[in-house]
Amino acid sequence: MTLEILADAEHLAARAADFIAGVINEKPQTTVLVATGNTPMRTYAELERRVKAGELDCSSATAVQLDEYLGLPEGDPRSLYGWMERAFVRPLGIQRVIRFDSALEPHSACARFDREVAGVDGIDLAILGLGPNGHLGFNEPPSGPDAPTRALTLTPESLSSNAAYWGELEVPTRALTAGMSTILSSRRVLLLVLGAHKREVLARALLGPLTPDLPASYLRDTNLTVLADQAAARGLT
Ligand code: F6R
């Protein structure tokens, strides 16, 4: 595991964009598992800037959806795929996407997702945020390392952290997530962590026991790079 501590969100975004661009330059057909949420947004904006400036070409990469709410009508503003499309897929000029098909019933959507991920030989790079309760994607505690791609009910912590995204709109209570097994078998994992409110959960993820009660702790068994700002990393070293 590598831990890098950056001064603030802006420095973290620049470093994360360097990391992701490095992976894509090395293998243009990279398959990237893409978190939404607030943490990676500046990073994606920096990648967009580089693409627009002609410094980076992401057109051969494949973007893979990490998670999605269940039960939303087509075109609902809360769709996590919609967020990923606006923040990552379109601005980076990505042509190929693997996503959860909301027209299918959940079990079939998960089975198809797993088949498509297997069909591209798995994930080269997982870009992840850290849930306030240690979730990865929507692998809520308890989730062990073998937890499959599945439908689940969100915990109260996730409902309240996700409420910040949607203003007056309610947070859907059910979701689909790429399984822990998919995330942990990624060839590289980039975990981005910002803010003092993530300090305690980050310390537990990096220093505490490997436990289903903190799914992010299992990242230590992967080829992991953690980029954290000083506020999140204080007390770690
Ligand atoms: C988002 C996702 C979540 C977030 C996590 C952190 O697709 O899968 O696991 O990465 O909840 O969210 P932020 O970055 O908003 O603190």
Side-chain angles (χ1 to χ4, degrees):
M1 177 188 83
T2 307
L3 167 66
E4 291 181 36
I5 301 173
L6 290 308
D8 55 25
E10 197 182 328
H11 287 86
L12 184 139
R15 175 68 190 104
D18 284 348
F19 186 97
I20 296 162
V23 173
I24 292 174
N25 284 333
E26 195 182 298
K27 180 180 175 188
Q29 291 82 11
T30 293
T31 299
V32 193
L33 189 63
V34 182
T36 53
N38 287 328
T39 309
M41 291 305 132
R42 274 185 185 226
T43 298
Y44 298 164
E46 172 58 17
L47 289 170
E48 176 180 7
R49 190 197 62 73
R50 295 180 190 197
V51 167
K52 301 253 150 77
E55 298 163 13
L56 175 65
D57 179 1
C58 300
S59 59
S60 302
T62 298
V64 181
Q65 186 174 16
L66 177 58
D67 42 19
E68 182 59 284
Y69 298 122
L70 271 175
L72 294 179
E74 186 65 32
D76 189 284
R78 292 164 292 180
S79 157
L80 294 182
Y81 181 69
W83 191 352
M84 167 179 161
E85 193 180 38
R86 289 189 299 277
F88 193 88
V89 173
R90 256 192 264 136
L92 302 195
I94 289 178
Q95 312 291 322
R96 180 162 186 198
V97 168
I98 296 176
R99 59 175 291 195
F100 291 107
D101 184 345
S102 8
L104 297 175
E105 58 83 27
H107 188 76
S108 309
C110 292
R112 174 189 271 195
F113 176 90
D114 281 344
R115 269 199 312 277
E116 290 186 23
V117 170
V120 292
D121 193 27
I123 307 292
D124 292 306
L125 171 65
I127 306 170
L128 301 175
L130 177 61
N133 60 355
H135 72 207
L136 294 177
F138 279 136
N139 288 283
E140 300 280 40
S143 288
D146 298 327
T149 300
R150 66 202 183 284
L152 45 82
T153 300
L154 298 183
T155 59
E157 291 97 320
S158 295
L159 291 174
S160 86
S161 65
N162 280 225
Y165 305 149
W166 311 119
E168 299 292 290
L169 298 174
E170 275 189 20
V171 181
T173 56
R174 302 260 306 152
L176 301 176
T177 186
M180 288 292 286
S181 45
T182 302
I183 293 172
L184 298 178
S185 58
S186 302
R187 287 181 271 279
R188 281 190 251 208
V189 176
L190 180 65
L191 178 69
L192 306 179
V193 192
L194 284 175
H197 64 297
K198 298 280 178 76
R199 187 184 304 158
E200 196 198 319
V201 69
L202 177 62
R204 285 171 58 216
L206 299 188
L207 304 172
L210 268 58
T211 166
D213 294 333
L214 202 87
S217 60
Y218 292 108
L219 290 177
R220 276 145 55 197
D221 277 345
T222 69
N223 181 4
L224 173 64
T225 299
V226 182
L227 303 182
D229 70 353
Q230 276 172 359
R234 191 159 305 136
L236 263 185
T237 46

